[in-house]
Amino acid sequence: MKVLLVEDNRLLGESTARSLTRAGFSVDLADRFEDGWHAWRTADYDVVVLDIMLGEDSGLDLLARARAAGRVCPVLLLTALGDIDRRVEGLNAGADDYLVKPFALEELIARLRALARRPASMLDPVLRYGNVRFDTGAREVAVDDQVAQLSRGEGIVLERFLRTPDRIITREQLGESLYSYDQDYTENSIQVHVHRVRRKLAELNAGMSIRAIRGLGYMAIETQPSPMPPPVS
């Protein structure tokens, strides 16, 4: 497994790189923003381990640049104990996991291996199903040359279905995706989100629909787009 480690503390970086190498990883070490960016854009990595603070630079800026450039490999953030806001910001920006310093090497290794086992479809920011293309970052769903903008809730619902098509997703699973653990929601609120996504897909003449499975939940299925009416002469 090839790993890029971007850590501005040279002593910690070298020690971690040696330990990962002994564990069987191939490790490239960068201790500055630009060195990390050069490595990331010129080589393919299975996982990137990225320190949030890179001296005067931000690891989150490096993450944003890489994601904007289409680099979709999983990213594990290294954060300080009290760096909760930056941690959340990093996960929202496209990081896949985080580890708080100081950390146990065994836990780092386990997390890296778990991230590397994720299928590429779980990491791709642009999802496709039938004739539907959904940009999860921009929250834009497109069918041919027609594009619709989705709300945050609509985007979450559609992404959940597109990442696991042809599988049943329960209302509880949708609720967990849409709401935080301390927010109450009703079955009706889930139905409203699903209805809105269905309506936008229908307006785009999408080759997919979201079918209700009685007593279980919903499932995304591929369908035939409706024939377009003939032009009015």
Side-chain angles (χ1 to χ4, degrees), residues 110-216:
R111 287 174 181 262
L112 293 180
R113 287 176 174 160
L115 287 174
R117 285 195 297 269
R118 289 187 182 182
S121 61
M122 293 294 289
L123 303 169
D124 195 341
V126 178
L127 306 176
R128 295 172 175 81
Y129 186 66
N131 65 351
V132 175
R133 179 182 181 276
F134 180 48
D135 185 328
T136 61
R139 291 206 301 266
E140 289 183 346
V141 59
V143 174
D144 299 326
D145 59 349
Q146 298 185 84
V147 179
Q149 191 74 37
L150 301 188
S151 68
R152 173 188 171 277
E154 292 165 353
I156 289 173
V157 168
L158 183 58
E159 180 175 355
R160 188 67 196 260
F161 283 110
L162 292 184
R163 290 200 185 277
T164 53
D166 306 312
R167 290 175 56 186
I168 294 174
I169 298 176
T170 67
R171 293 175 178 83
E172 290 76 16
Q173 289 172 325
L174 288 175
E176 290 170 1
S177 297
L178 285 163
Y179 303 97
S180 62
Y181 70 93
D182 57 349
Q183 286 182 300
D184 293 327
Y185 64 90
T186 65
E187 183 172 320
N188 183 63
S189 67
I190 302 298
Q191 292 174 342
V192 168
H193 280 95
V194 172
H195 171 73
R196 289 173 176 167
V197 173
R198 281 174 170 162
R199 185 179 63 196
K200 289 195 174 178
L201 291 173
E203 290 171 351
L204 293 171
N205 197 28
M208 68 166 287
S209 66
I210 299 173
R211 175 180 294 173
I213 310 298
R214 173 171 291 206
L216 296 175

Side-chain angles (χ1 to χ4, degrees), residues 69-83:
R71 312 303 283 180
V72 297
C73 69
V75 173
L76 184 146
L77 294 177
L78 299 179
T79 79
L81 181 61
D83 213 6

